[in-house]
């Protein structure tokens, strides 16, 4: 940490968001000998899940344990972690950013790395939120193995539901597509579903039936129950980035198979946004990133931020050197007078 800037401490980089992307970026920057602060609200998207999957070498690790280890690593390399929620970020006239927290705290950074993730906007079906991340699922690669060979339902709310059902069929032969509020399958899609043995159930879903706090059935509006152990839901994915609006950064739509699935903060492959000095990484900019991909994006963005700081420091060093050389090589007043008198003596 560098000296304060009036109303709060100053860092090379303020990382907003303490998930896998933010902590990986902060660790990368700490190893680059940067002063780093991670501001973390403590509300990770995957908190309800029992384990993180497809993370090489850490398969099944509890989300809380992974983040705790990440915070320890950041601190090991001199970084700081602060609990809080960022409400606004504004640019200083002289460069850098002023970041205001919900508790009134203020911090300053030469660069911002935003890794706040996304919010899953679930369909308004009673019981979905309570079982989200355990029996109500979104990603077969994250959770498919854990519910393999069990009755799996797919809640249709949009045009990608058939694709979703066909995908989940890889993990179980017992898959049911609940039409709910989604569009009717096309003739081609009906043939695909039939060929894969996927049952289509008409009617809206009214609620979820549970046994011992776990999903046991999907209850239709007509009162009938369909046995179900897991329910796949395509939630809308919206970046958590409201505080960036003051810097001119607002979400744009991200599409999958020609259909919008949510809103993301656009960036280049390194995570750099259209606002100089602001980078993003993880689900805030790539909605479909899994945990390991978000961590990799954090490393990539952290390296890009450090390179940008190195470039700026080099420019300043060159300018300072040129000024010093200019002052050192400039003739003194006595030397100028001697030269003038010498010229006169020689008739110049």
């Amino acid at each position: 940490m560098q000296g304060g800037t009036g109303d709060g401490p100053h860092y090379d980089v303020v990382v907003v968001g303490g998930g896998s992307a933010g902590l990986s970026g902060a660790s990368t920057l700490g190893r680059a000998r940067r002063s780093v602060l991670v501001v973390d609200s403590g509300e990770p998207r995957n908190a309800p899940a029992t384990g993180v999957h497809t993370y090489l070498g850490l398969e099944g690790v509890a989300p809380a344990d992974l983040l705790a280890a990440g915070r320890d690593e950041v601190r090991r390399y001199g970084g700081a972690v602060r609990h809080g929620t960022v409400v606004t970020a504004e640019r200083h006239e002289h460069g850098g950013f002023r970041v205001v927290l919900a508790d009134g705290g203020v911090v300053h950074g030469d660069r911002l790395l935003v890794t706040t993730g996304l919010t899953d906007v679930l369909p308004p079906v009673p019981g979905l939120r309570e079982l989200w991340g355990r029996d109500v699922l979104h990603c077969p690669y994250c959770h498919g193995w854990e519910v393999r060979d069990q009755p799996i339902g797919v809640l249709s709310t949009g045009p990608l539901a058939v694709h979703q059902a066909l995908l989940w069929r890889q993990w179980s032969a017992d898959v049911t597509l609940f039409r709910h509020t989604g569009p009717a399958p096309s003739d081609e899609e009906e043939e695909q579903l039939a060929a894969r043995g996927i049952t289509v159930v008409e009617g809206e879903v009214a609620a979820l039936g549970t046994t011992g706090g776990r999903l046991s059935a999907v209850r239709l509006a007509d009162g009938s129950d369909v046995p179900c152990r897991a329910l796949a839901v395509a939630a809308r994915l919206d970046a958590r980035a409201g505080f960036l609006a003051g810097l001119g950064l607002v979400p744009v739509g991200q599409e999958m198979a020609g259909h919008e699935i949510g809103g993301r903060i656009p960036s280049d492959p390194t995570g750099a946004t259209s606002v100089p000095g602001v980078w993003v990484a993880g689900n805030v900019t790539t909605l479909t990133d899994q945990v390991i991909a978000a961590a990799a994006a954090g490393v990539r963005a952290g390296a890009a931020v450090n390179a940008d700081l190195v470039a700026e420091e080099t420019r300043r060093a060159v300018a300072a050197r040129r000024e010093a050389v200019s002052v050192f090589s400039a003739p003194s007043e006595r030397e100028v007078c001697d030269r003038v008198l010498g010229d006169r003596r020689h008739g110049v």
Side-chain angles (χ1 to χ4, degrees), residues 184-201:
S186 66
D187 292 343
E188 181 182 7
E189 288 174 330
E190 285 186 351
E191 184 179 25
Q192 292 172 342
L193 293 168
R196 295 292 282 158
I198 297 173
T199 303
V200 178
V201 173

Side-chain angles (χ1 to χ4, degrees), residues 1 10-15 22 25-31 33-38 74 77-81 113:
M1 182 181 71
H10 180 271
Y11 300 84
D12 290 333
V13 186
V14 174
V15 179
S27 178
T28 300
L29 287 159
R31 287 176 55 82
R33 310 186 73 178
R34 296 294 178 187
S35 60
V36 184
L37 172 68
V38 178
V74 169
Y77 294 112
V81 180
L113 173 55

Side-chain angles (χ1 to χ4, degrees), residues 124-176:
V125 175
L128 282 186
R129 177 59 63 184
E130 290 77 4
L131 295 176
W132 178 244
R134 294 189 297 132
D135 299 332
V136 175
L137 311 170
H138 72 293
C139 170
Y141 298 103
C142 301
H143 306 286
W145 177 263
E146 284 64 42
V147 296
R148 64 193 185 279
D149 298 327
Q150 300 184 52
I152 299 173
V154 176
L155 184 69
S156 177
T157 57
L160 295 178
V162 171
H163 166 75
Q164 195 177 15
L166 292 170
L167 198 59
W168 280 93
R169 175 63 178 78
Q170 175 62 24
W171 282 266
S172 176
D174 188 353
V175 176
T176 300

Side-chain angles (χ1 to χ4, degrees), residues 92-109:
H92 288 301
E93 291 184 7
H94 55 78
F97 302 89
R98 181 176 185 267
V99 179
V100 181
L101 280 60
D103 63 5
V106 175
V107 296
H108 303 264

Side-chain angles (χ1 to χ4, degrees), residues 18-24 27 40 44-47 49-76 81 290-296:
S20 59
L23 294 173
S24 295
S27 178
D40 181 24
R45 178 193 182 200
N46 62 355
T50 57
V52 173
H53 301 290
T54 68
Y55 201 123
L56 188 63
L58 292 173
E59 171 60 35
V61 62
D65 292 343
L66 178 64
L67 298 182
R71 289 190 290 270
D72 288 343
E73 290 176 7
V74 169
R75 295 186 180 104
R76 185 187 312 164
V81 180
Q290 293 177 257
V291 175
I292 194 168

